[in-house]
Amino acid sequence: MLQMHSRKGSTDVHEFEGMFIGLPAYFKVTSVIGHVFSVDFPAKYQDWSATDPIDLFQAPIQKTEANPKAHICRHLSQEAHGCSHLVLWLDCDREGENICFEVIQCTGFQANDARRKVHRARFSSVTGKDILKAMNCLVEPNKCEALAVDARQEIDLKVGVAFTRFQTGYFQGKYGDLDSRVISYGPCQTPTLGFCVQRYLQITTFKPEKFWALRPNIMVDGYELQLEWERHRLFDLDVALMFQKLVLQDRILEVTDMSEKQESKGRPPGLNTVNLLKRLKNSGFGKRSCILQVFGLAWFGLCICNFFSGILLPKHELNSTRFGSLARKRSLNISWGLMFKLLTIFNEA
């Protein structure tokens, strides 16, 4: 039976014995916390006043440990000591591929080293079946996808920092109520925000406009069918009336497409209190009246439950309870009257 031992590190390490590519092996499994490295500008480009934002596009960049306090790079280097195979189980996308090469860099493995081999596991889920399949079909990590992420990171850094510095300096002092200490620009977030603002302005400045449409009905085998106009609607009344006149005169239409679907009406669900209040409100009852109606129904339902369970309410509760009086009013309703009177008679007995 497989026995696993776990110990603490920068991230947990799980160790066990098993089979790898047909040979007995000792496994060590650990993890990272997202990207191991992040990109930034060298120290001489950190001074906003001494660097023109346009110069940042030609500036070099450097990679530093993303989370220095976690010591992930040192942790990976220590755990890889004495290992002859490295199997990478990062996410199967470009970001995951980039992290694969960050791990390779930390562990000291080389892609073309015959003594210490690097493998990449491709999987779509973490079920036992997919994990075993991925372990039996190991491939090489994709350097091109990792380089694509490096390019994206450099573009994000240079565009984001350059535009942030530019617009922060541009807007300083222009608007009294604007906190312009740092006006951040994100290459993805800011254009997305622009789409949101554009849509918001479309909604707030929208003015309803009247339109007209032809909706002819025809009889087919005794069933009335409503046809849909291919042009859907017109915003010009005179043109719409012209088409209506043509249809009424010719009484001939061309059907370009037919569709058929079956619908079934299910059993109505139970009416909860919220929906009941909505329906009462839509029926013209006031808010206070709606609440009294609901509690009156609840009280009357309690009477019915007590009646069928053999528990009878005392007579004074029927007479003195506020909701009892409301339910008593319901006894005037022809649908409930007989039941309520029976309940009253049984309670009085």
Side-chain angles (χ1 to χ4, degrees), residues 322-342:
R322 181 181 182 185
F323 300 126
S325 62
L326 183 65
R328 190 176 294 277
K329 291 179 183 178
R330 299 295 177 273
S331 66
L332 301 177
N333 186 295
I334 191 170
S335 302
W336 313 3
L338 181 60
M339 176 61 75
F340 186 84
K341 289 178 181 179
L342 287 173

Side-chain angles (χ1 to χ4, degrees), residues 74-109:
R74 184 183 67 187
H75 168 71
L76 294 174
S77 178
Q78 291 174 349
E79 296 302 331
H81 184 70
C83 295
S84 57
H85 292 271
L86 174 64
V87 183
L88 300 160
W89 289 83
L90 285 305
D91 289 347
C92 295
D93 54 16
R94 286 185 176 180
E95 296 296 327
E97 214 66 26
N98 186 266
I99 299 174
C100 283
F101 283 89
E102 293 178 347
V103 173
I104 293 172
Q105 179 180 341
C106 293
T107 56
F109 276 75

Side-chain angles (χ1 to χ4, degrees), residues 118-122 134 137-141:
V118 179
H119 310 272
R120 177 69 161 111
R122 297 285 182 187
C137 303
L138 297 174
V139 297
E140 293 183 358

Side-chain angles (χ1 to χ4, degrees), residues 46-65:
Q46 299 295 336
D47 188 350
W48 288 33
S49 60
T51 305
D52 191 327
I54 198 68
D55 295 335
L56 295 175
F57 290 100
Q58 301 299 327
I61 62 171
Q62 61 185 16
K63 285 196 172 187
T64 56
E65 195 165 354

Side-chain angles (χ1 to χ4, degrees), residues 119-133:
H119 310 272
R120 177 69 161 111
R122 297 285 182 187
F123 56 97
S124 57
S125 68
V126 289
T127 61
K129 179 181 177 181
D130 283 343
I131 290 175
L132 292 174
K133 181 180 178 181

